[in-house]
Amino acid sequence: MPIDLRRQGVGGAAALLGVPDLRDRVAWEALDRDTVDDVLTAAEVDRAQPWPQTLLSDYARYWRDGVRVAYEGPAGELRRRTSTAVLAAAMTGEHVDEAADGLLLLCEQTTWCWAAHESFAAARGEVVADPDDPYVDLGAAETVQVLAWADLVLGSALDERVPGLRRRLRREARIRVFEPFLGNREWHWLGLDGRLHNWSPWIQGHILSAALLLESDPDTQFLLVESAVDGLSRYLDAMPADGGCDEGYAYWWNGPARLVEALELLDRITGGALDPWKCEPLAELAQYPRRMALGDGWYVNVGDGPARPNPQQPWHVLHRWGRRVGDPGVTAFAAAHRGQPQSPEVGLGRALIGLFDREWWTAAAEPLDLPRSTWLPDTELLVARDAPAGLALAVKGGHNDENHNHNDVGSFIAAVDSAPVLVDLGQPTYTAISFSPRRYQQWVMQSAWHNVPLIDGHEQSPGAAERAGGLQPQEDQLALTLPGGVVRRTASLDRDARAIRVTDEWQDGHQIVEHFILAGTPQRHRPGGLVVRSLSGVLVALSWDDELGPGTLERRAVDDELLEAVWGPDVHRLVIDASGRTSFELTVSRFEETL
């Protein structure tokens, strides 16, 4: 993606972004009224509360007891409240001091880096970040983008009400982000080792916008933009051709979607000269959310992703993406979610760009139209749906060294009326062990808590060597060999029988114990069958050879807030010992009888 931005001219970048400052009252007063009311109501509630504080004792808890949220919670709330105040000030022309207070509080923080990422302090054996040696992480990137976009829309008012604050914003951006970004080319998120993940576009996209809006020296601005563009190009080149995302749907919004937002900024400031929309595989990546949707807010979730994520996503980003690549299915899918509230939590820049996207606000909302079947050959993921029967099946291949990996090769999800019944539990609350060598001590990461068998007493292990083999995809079916080469699994959606079937086959002499993770409430359990009332309220029947007996149904309390918000207070594991056989088949269908 080579482009000489000095030749194209970025001096007037702010004017090309399509976001006016608060002096343009006509533009601000023409915004969607419901959205404005939501922002102003939130700002009024905020003003009645004290500002969030970020405390050293909370920061130190990461090292003391592994807790991240004690600090990241108030730090995120400070960014959110400041962003809300900025929007409210721009929308009304009032309460500029409130926004200025938030901006200065952000500038006064010792660090913008989250404790979990502060490896510089950890290397010193300390729990206090050094302002002279800042670490550029997601927290720093999220904070600098608040400063940048606030400066764009409130600049004139800040000069009038609090002269000197804008100079302070630029100083903090330069010291905390710009200088370390240019001065250290060993940041892991640059992906120079070939391992790229959502940090790369997430951080570099924010650095790009901050450089365009806060850096006044043309040569420094050029170096910042050039370096960010190089990193974004590297991430784009690493994207699979099938448009898949091994980090899953939730992280798609902070990986591929962040990339596209950065490309859009570049496209705007170069007056369309960049025209990145024909780059591979942008058109395929745009289809990922629609391909993963199960309906009613449920999604196919792999790795660290919730099955029912926060619906307050920046759907306008996807809508513009669909318009740029000319995909009406993508734009229709995005427009179907326009009724969701748009919160500043998604980012101040995202919120501002979305507010002034007039095509988004005038697009006709359409009902969800989900693909009948999707096979992603690079990511090795099959999703098949039978809309009349309300059935959906997702089957995962891949390997156990993926980004945000769980040990889950060959696992599957079975949903009825949108809600998964045989589930992937997804992401628990992050702690100090989440990305440490102890990661797989967490029960939700282990293959024993995924829909895969225990083979000869062994669970799956982490690592790229643990991978699916012999994949044979069809429209509604995927056959693959599980790690170790013992079990051949075939998972299919039988449209004629209106059922999902999962068959495991192996040579005689192996001990195979099947594990199935269930959401909902068990209703009837007997040899060869289990009836579950799903989270969507329908009765679902699981059936197997009754000679194997009822199996064992284990209840496990859900001891994590993120997981409980999705699955409720408990989940169940059905364990069926199929040792002594050479095959096992499970059938999932609606329960049509009377209990």
Side-chain angles (χ1 to χ4, degrees), residues 468-510:
L471 283 86
Q472 293 181 312
Q474 298 178 23
E475 182 187 27
D476 298 325
Q477 176 177 295
L478 179 63
L480 72 166
T481 301
L482 301 183
V486 172
V487 175
R488 182 72 175 171
R489 167 164 284 185
T490 302
S492 62
L493 175 61
D494 187 334
R495 296 180 186 276
D496 293 333
R498 296 194 167 184
I500 291 169
R501 302 187 194 282
V502 179
T503 303
D504 289 342
E505 299 176 288
W506 58 91
Q507 297 293 319
D508 193 15
H510 291 284

Side-chain angles (χ1 to χ4, degrees), residues 250-333:
Y251 275 105
W252 179 93
W253 285 104
N254 286 318
R258 295 285 186 187
L259 168 69
V260 163
E261 290 173 273
L263 295 180
E264 185 180 7
L265 285 185
L266 290 168
D267 199 27
R268 291 186 183 206
I269 66 165
T270 58
L274 183 61
D275 191 22
W277 309 109
K278 293 183 176 132
C279 292
E280 299 291 346
L282 290 183
E284 292 294 323
L285 283 167
Q287 297 189 58
Y288 188 78
R290 180 169 170 254
R291 288 169 168 171
M292 296 301 108
L294 297 172
D296 195 27
W298 295 96
Y299 285 81
V300 173
N301 63 313
V302 293
D304 280 353
R308 204 170 197 184
N310 186 344
Q312 292 187 14
Q313 302 296 347
W315 292 103
H316 57 86
V317 172
L318 183 60
H319 195 265
R320 285 194 304 281
W321 192 346
R323 282 151 33 199
R324 300 293 194 273
V325 300
D327 191 328
V330 171
T331 55
F333 181 78

Side-chain angles (χ1 to χ4, degrees), residues 451-481:
N451 297 316
V452 293
L454 195 68
I455 302 173
D456 294 328
H458 298 292
E459 295 185 37
Q460 294 182 18
S461 300
E466 295 277 297
R467 64 175 58 243
L471 283 86
Q472 293 181 312
Q474 298 178 23
E475 182 187 27
D476 298 325
Q477 176 177 295
L478 179 63
L480 72 166
T481 301

Side-chain angles (χ1 to χ4, degrees), residues 229-247:
V229 168
D230 178 67
L232 293 166
S233 298
R234 194 177 302 113
Y235 181 79
L236 176 60
D237 290 343
M239 290 293 94
D242 64 8
C245 180
D246 68 352
E247 296 179 278

